[in-house]
Amino acid sequence: MSILQIVKYGNPVLTRKAEEITNLDKYIEELAQNMVETMYAAPGIGLAAPQVNESKRLITVDLSVGEDTQNLIILINPELISQEGEVVYEEGCLSVPDISEKVVRPSRVIVKGIDLKGNEKIVEAEGLLARALCHEIDHINGKLFIDHLSLLKKSLIRKKLKRAIQASKI
Ligand code: NI
């Protein structure tokens, strides 16, 4: 297993709709394992394949960040099949460093996907888990959490991120 590099805001892979996974091969299995390790090392509670420069519909979530691996969810081709309620809570992203903002998310969701063995998996989630799943599913649809904010807020954040990216290149 290895820790992968997490791509940051500005990389076009983050705004692209990721491709559906049609073949559950060794490559996907290794990618998933590397994503889990990368998520734990970051540390983060969720990661989507585009964040490691792989435009594929694959996400990992673990609210315990590896403390209790029973919490680990690996989903291939995840889809939000139902949602209800609304909660506002502070959110951040490993690809959008040093920014956190309040984002409205559903309070309960049902997500359908495929596990690494190729079996259909239904995840019913609420609270932070529901939020994390929505955040990661957004990633594979080319959407970042800042895309949920007002245009004014988004443009202020964009300027801040551009300055930070330019500064890091010097
Ligand atoms: Ni993210």
Side-chain angles (χ1 to χ4, degrees):
M1 289 207 285
S2 46
I3 293 171
L4 307 169
Q5 198 180 345
I6 295 176
V7 302
K8 299 285 163 34
Y9 175 86
N11 188 313
V13 73
L14 293 173
T15 50
R16 206 177 294 149
K17 191 171 165 29
E19 278 172 30
E20 194 154 335
I21 294 170
T22 51
N23 200 5
L24 247 180
D25 54 13
K26 190 94 191 136
Y27 185 81
I28 294 299
E29 201 179 308
E30 276 177 22
L31 173 61
Q33 281 164 1
N34 289 337
M35 280 173 59
V36 171
E37 198 175 333
T38 304
M39 172 176 76
Y40 289 161
I45 60 167
L47 199 66
Q51 292 184 276
V52 293
N53 210 13
E54 291 276 359
S55 197
K56 293 186 166 47
R57 304 185 81 78
L58 170 62
I59 65 167
T60 62
V61 172
D62 182 351
L63 293 192
S64 80
V65 201
E67 286 296 312
D68 179 1
T69 46
Q70 281 197 327
N71 288 308
L72 176 62
I73 296 169
I74 298 173
L75 282 180
I76 292 159
N77 302 334
E79 280 175 74
L80 197 60
I81 55 171
S82 99
Q83 61 177 77
E84 58 180 64
E86 273 190 0
V87 195
V88 182
Y89 197 74
E90 196 97 354
E91 204 169 308
C93 176
L94 295 171
S95 296
V96 189
D98 304 324
I99 305 282
S100 64
E101 288 290 337
K102 289 190 169 120
V103 179
V104 184
R105 296 283 188 189
S107 52
R108 281 180 63 87
V109 296
I110 300 176
V111 172
K112 186 177 89 172
I114 299 165
D115 68 14
L116 282 179
K117 290 182 184 126
N119 299 317
E120 187 181 274
K121 203 170 169 181
I122 303 278
V123 181
E124 288 186 41
E126 52 183 30
L128 190 57
L129 184 57
R131 176 169 298 271
L133 288 166
C134 290
H135 179 115
E136 302 314 330
I137 292 172
D138 269 0
H139 270 303
I140 58 172
N141 290 322
K143 200 168 175 183
L144 296 173
F145 79 99
I146 54 173
D147 294 323
H148 288 272
L149 306 175
S150 69
L151 286 177
L152 176 65
K153 212 157 209 184
K154 210 173 137 178
S155 95
L156 291 172
I157 289 171
R158 277 212 188 106
K159 280 181 197 150
K160 198 174 161 185
L161 285 166
K162 270 185 194 144
R163 274 199 303 270
I165 288 162
Q166 276 164 0
S168 69
K169 276 180 187 157
I170 294 166

